[in-house]
Amino acid sequence: MNLGNTAVIANLAYLTPFVSLILTHFVLGEKITVFSVLGLVLIVTGIIIQMIVNKKWRHQRYDIYGDV
């Protein structure tokens, strides 16, 4: 069963914070406050840090073990 490219689908998860903030604003009428934006910035910063760390880890693993 081929459901699609998992890398593309996994990258869609990074859009979740933005989409949920916009949807709650327009659908539920929730105000976008400074705290909402700060929370979004923290989430995005965490995602960026995770991507950088994983990239470095994969690079080091490739250097140690070769083509794994």
Side-chain angles (χ1 to χ4, degrees), residues 1-53:
M1 176 174 15
N2 186 4
L3 298 176
N5 187 350
T6 55
V8 173
I9 295 170
N11 284 331
L12 290 176
Y14 296 129
L15 293 175
T16 303
F18 299 105
V19 173
S20 63
L21 184 64
I22 299 301
L23 281 177
T24 56
H25 174 68
F26 288 111
V27 175
L28 301 176
E30 183 177 318
K31 285 183 169 182
I32 297 178
T33 64
V34 174
F35 295 111
S36 299
V37 175
L38 286 174
L40 183 63
V41 169
L42 284 173
I43 291 169
V44 171
T45 303
I47 291 170
I48 291 170
I49 291 171
Q50 177 187 12
M51 290 172 60
I52 292 169
V53 168

